[in-house]
Amino acid sequence: MNIIVCIKQVPMVSELPWNAKTGTLKRELAQGMMDPSSRQALEAALRLKQGRGNVQITALSMGPPMAEEVLHQAVSLGADRGVLLTDRRMAGADTYLTSFILAEYIRKLAPETDLVLCGSQTSDSETAQVGPQLACELNMPAIGWASDIRLSGRTLTVERHVDDFLETLEMDLPGLVTIDQGAFAPGYAALGGIQDAFEASGVEIVNATTLGLDKGFNALKDSPTRILDVYSPTTRKENRVLKGAARSVVDQLFKEYGKTISSAMGKDLKPK
Ligand SMILES: Cc1cc2nc3c(=O)[nH]c(=O)nc-3n(C[C@H](O)[C@H](O)[C@H](O)COP(=O)(O)OP(=O)(O)OC[C@H]3O[C@@H](n4cnc5c(N)ncnc54)[C@H](O)[C@@H]3O)c2cc1C
């Protein structure tokens, strides 16, 4: 059984260093870490592998060369191999092209894949779009936000929380599942073990040519999504004491903050 776990490297900072000119993240300025929900997907794969001799886990990432680090980490945690799709022509990909590039790898270089596991949404752009889009690209059935997965033969039983009830679904493989946040608390490997595996682990590097992407392919230009700006919203706190009779205080309140209150409550408020 061949499982591919899609793993994204995300910035380990709250402030994302943004290049307003190109509309892309200056990932090289931010120390990277394994996206927490990708980590959950890896944990789900490792649990499926427990006690099964014939399960191969490939950790797959598309990203800048520095993303190789999270694949070494994935192998040191128990994945069998790591594959990094990296090329200047892949930089600046939006979710649509990210899913397309990951799908190109699976279609062309891993057609024997039985199960693709993704996190539900990353901690940096949080679109939750890559998993479902990848399933579309691969024309695979998909189940999102899984809190538990069990395998019997080639049928996967998936549980997920929807509102306040638990849904149980079955899916015949091949298929794709996205793993809900907090569903699979990551196990930890001994530090010494991580270091050794890190050094020992080989990560395969695949560029745009090996993937057979067109000569003119350029993710930044070809991405249908344009991110115009990224900024942290500023919150403004101000204390004001309004004095006078209740009626005049309410009048003052609406005179000064009517618009803010209306938009906050989403309805037009006129004092009666
Ligand atoms: C602040 C910010 C905002 C952005 N907004 C948008 C936007 O609105 N629309 C848009 O199209 N793009 C956007 N992008 C670009 C987007 O980050 C990338 O396209 C990214 O590769 C996928 O989007 P995501 O992180 O939201 O993935 P999600 O869909 O949230 O990721 C879910 C899972 O998919 C897998 N996955 C995601 N990316 C990769 C990868 N590179 N390699 C391997 N597995 C992966 C992982 O398992 C992950 O847990 C934004 C980027 C930033 C930094």
Side-chain angles (χ1 to χ4, degrees):
M1 167 139 179
N2 298 300
I3 302 179
I4 286 201
V5 182
C6 295
I7 293 184
K8 186 182 179 187
Q9 183 187 49
V10 293
M12 211 196 268
V13 287
S14 55
E15 293 292 323
L16 296 176
W18 193 252
N19 183 332
K21 264 211 231 82
T22 60
T24 56
L25 192 61
K26 299 179 195 163
R27 284 186 192 278
E28 66 286 357
L29 292 185
Q31 206 191 333
M33 68 175 196
M34 189 183 290
D35 158 51
S37 76
S38 304
R39 178 68 186 86
Q40 309 260 341
L42 176 62
E43 192 60 30
L46 295 171
R47 303 249 181 108
L48 280 181
K49 183 179 171 86
Q50 271 164 10
R52 285 193 180 85
N54 65 342
V55 172
Q56 283 289 310
I57 300 174
T58 299
L60 175 67
S61 187
M62 182 206 81
M66 65 187 261
E68 190 179 340
E69 211 176 274
V70 293
L71 295 171
H72 281 290
Q73 188 191 351
V75 173
S76 69
L77 289 162
D80 298 284
R81 55 196 283 267
V83 176
L84 177 61
L85 312 178
T86 189
D87 194 302
R88 288 214 62 67
R89 295 197 281 140
M90 297 177 189
D94 68 358
T95 61
Y96 178 70
L97 282 190
T98 299
S99 316
F100 168 75
I101 294 167
L102 294 169
E104 282 289 85
Y105 174 80
I106 297 172
R107 264 191 289 263
K108 293 176 179 170
L109 303 174
E112 71 296 341
T113 300
D114 300 295
L115 175 62
V116 180
L117 292 176
C118 295
S120 47
Q121 71 190 123
T122 60
S123 58
D124 63 345
S125 38
E126 303 182 88
T127 62
Q129 292 170 3
V130 169
Q133 284 175 166
L134 182 51
C136 290
E137 279 285 342
L138 295 169
N139 196 21
M140 269 184 181
I143 299 175
W145 309 89
S147 52
D148 192 19
I149 54 177
R150 297 186 297 281
L151 180 65
S152 135
R154 290 190 60 71
T155 302
L156 207 63
T157 304
V158 177
E159 283 181 1
R160 64 179 180 190
H161 295 278
V162 182
D163 299 334
D164 50 12
F165 62 88
L166 188 66
E167 206 176 32
T168 305
L169 303 121
E170 276 195 355
M171 174 165 73
D172 291 334
L173 298 178
L176 180 145
V177 176
T178 75
I179 303 295
D180 196 3
Q181 310 268 1
F184 289 83
Y188 287 93
L191 208 51
I194 290 187
Q195 193 58 35
D196 303 347
F198 203 98
E199 275 139 19
S201 64
V203 169
E204 197 186 327
I205 307 294
V206 174
N207 64 19
T209 313
T210 316
L211 212 45
L213 299 180
D214 300 350
K215 289 223 167 354
F217 178 88
N218 180 304
L220 188 58
K221 284 206 197 70
D222 303 341
S223 288
T225 314
R226 287 273 168 280
I227 300 151
L228 303 178
D229 193 5
V230 166
Y231 59 89
S232 300
T234 50
T235 48
R236 194 167 55 81
K237 277 214 174 71
E238 185 198 336
N239 294 327
R240 286 278 315 280
V241 180
L242 300 179
K243 293 205 172 97
R247 178 82 238 176
S248 82
V249 167
V250 172
D251 291 348
Q252 283 177 56
L253 203 61
F254 280 111
K255 198 150 144 278
E256 294 196 32
Y257 301 104
K259 276 213 182 66
T260 326
I261 298 170
S262 306
S263 61
M265 295 177 78
K267 63 180 178 183
D268 192 6
L269 297 173
K270 289 258 175 319
K272 303 253 175 331

